[in-house]
C-alpha cells in the first residue's frame, strides 16, 4: 500500500510541478526579466565603461552566466524535480495519517493535508520573509536569510503538530476542536513572527509594483502547485478506493 501511495505521489507531484511551472513561466518570468533589466541598468550607471585595452581581459559575463532562455527552460525541470521530491514525502506522510488523523475519506484527507502543508511550509515563512526578485537583497546576507527561512519552516511544522495535538485533546463539539487547533497553531507562529529579526533589503527606488507582482507570482506558483497536487492526489486516491470496493456480483456469488 505504501508503495502504491509513493508511486502515486511521484506521478502527481511531477504533474503538479509542471502545472506550477507553467504558471511561473507566464506570470513570474516577466517580472524576473524586468528586475534583471533594472539591475543591469543600475550596474551600468554605477560602473564606468572600461578602457578598450582592459575590456578584453575582463569579459567574463558570457562564460559565467546561464542565458535567460536556458534559465526559462530549466524552470520546468526545477518545478518538476520539486514536485517529485514533495510528492514522495507527501505520499509517505499521507500513508501514516490515513485512518489515524483527519477526514476518513482519502480525497478529503489529501486536500486537508495539502492545504495544511501549504500553510505550514509555504505561507508561514513567506509572510515573514517574502520572496524577492533579482536586484533585491544583499548577497553577503544570503546564508543568514536562508537560515531564518528554514527556521520559519520548522516553526510552521511544529505549530501544525501542536495544533493537531491540541485538537485531539478537545472532546467538545467540532467547532471547539477547530478553534483550539487554530489557537494552538497561531501562538507559536505569531511568537516567531514577532521575535525573529526582520529582513528588509529592498533598495530605495525599486518599483513597489514590480516587487508586489513578483511576490504574488511567487506565492501564486506555490498555491497552484499545492492546489493541483491535493486535487489530483485526492482524485486518484478516491478512484482507487472505488475500484477496489466495486466487487462484481459474479465474484461474490458461490460457484
Amino acid at each position: 500500500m505504501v508503495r502504491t501511495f509513493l508511486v502515486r505521489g511521484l506521478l502527481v507531484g511531477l504533474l503538479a510541478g509542471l502545472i506550477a511551472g507553467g504558471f511561473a513561466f507566464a506570470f513570474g518570468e516577466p517580472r524576473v526579466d524586468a528586475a534583471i533589466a533594472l539591475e543591469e541598468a543600475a550596474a551600468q550607471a554605477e560602473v564606468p565603461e572600461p578602457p578598450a585595452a582592459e575590456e578584453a581581459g575582463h569579459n567574463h559575463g558570457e562564460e559565467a552566466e546561464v542565458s535567460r532562455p536556458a534559465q526559462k527552460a530549466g524552470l520546468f525541470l526545477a518545478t518538476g524535480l520539486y514536485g517529485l521530491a514533495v510528492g514522495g514525502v507527501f505520499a509517505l506522510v499521507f500513508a501514516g495519517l490515513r485512518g489515524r488523523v483527519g477526514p476518513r475519506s482519502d480525497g478529503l484527507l489529501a486536500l486537508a493535508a495539502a492545504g495544511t502543508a501549504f500553510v505550514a511550509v509555504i505561507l508561514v515563512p513567506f509572510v515573514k520573509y517574502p520572496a524577492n526578485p533579482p536586484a533585491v537583497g544583499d548577497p553577503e546576507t544570503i546564508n543568514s536569510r536562508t537560515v531564518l527561512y528554514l527556521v520559519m519552516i520548522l516553526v510552521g511544522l511544529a505549530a501544525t503538530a501542536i495544533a493537531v495535538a491540541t485538537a485531539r485533546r478537545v472532546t467538545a463539539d467540532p467547532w471547539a476542536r477547530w478553534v483550539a487547533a487554530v489557537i494552538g497553531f497561531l501562538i507559536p507562529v505569531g511568537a516567531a513572527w514577532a521575535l525573529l529579526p526582520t529582513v528588509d533589503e529592498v533598495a530605495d527606488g525599486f518599483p513597489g509594483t514590480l516587487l508586489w507582482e513578483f511576490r504574488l507570482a511567487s506565492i501564486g506558483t506555490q498555491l497552484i502547485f499545492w492546489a493541483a497536487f491535493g486535487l489530483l492526489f485526492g482524485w486518484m486516491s478516491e478512484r482507487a478506493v472505488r475500484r477496489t470496493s466495486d466487487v462484481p456480483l459474479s465474484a461474490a456469488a458461490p460457484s
Side-chain angles (χ1 to χ4, degrees), residues 149-190:
Y149 193 88
L150 292 176
V151 168
M152 281 306 309
I153 292 178
L154 294 177
V155 170
L157 292 174
T160 301
I162 293 172
V164 172
T166 303
R168 298 186 71 175
R169 289 178 177 272
V170 176
T171 58
D173 60 276
W175 281 107
R177 201 174 298 123
W178 275 104
V179 171
V182 171
I183 294 175
F185 181 84
L186 289 179
I187 289 177
V189 169

Side-chain angles (χ1 to χ4, degrees), residues 117-201:
F118 170 77
V119 172
V121 180
I122 305 300
L123 190 59
V124 166
F126 185 88
V127 171
K128 180 66 177 180
Y129 303 115
N132 289 324
V136 174
D138 185 358
E140 296 183 357
T141 64
I142 187 171
N143 291 333
S144 61
R145 286 186 280 122
T146 301
V147 170
L148 290 173
Y149 193 88
L150 292 176
V151 168
M152 281 306 309
I153 292 178
L154 294 177
V155 170
L157 292 174
T160 301
I162 293 172
V164 172
T166 303
R168 298 186 71 175
R169 289 178 177 272
V170 176
T171 58
D173 60 276
W175 281 107
R177 201 174 298 123
W178 275 104
V179 171
V182 171
I183 294 175
F185 181 84
L186 289 179
I187 289 177
V189 169
W193 282 344
L195 296 177
L196 287 177
T198 300
V199 178
D200 186 8
E201 298 179 348

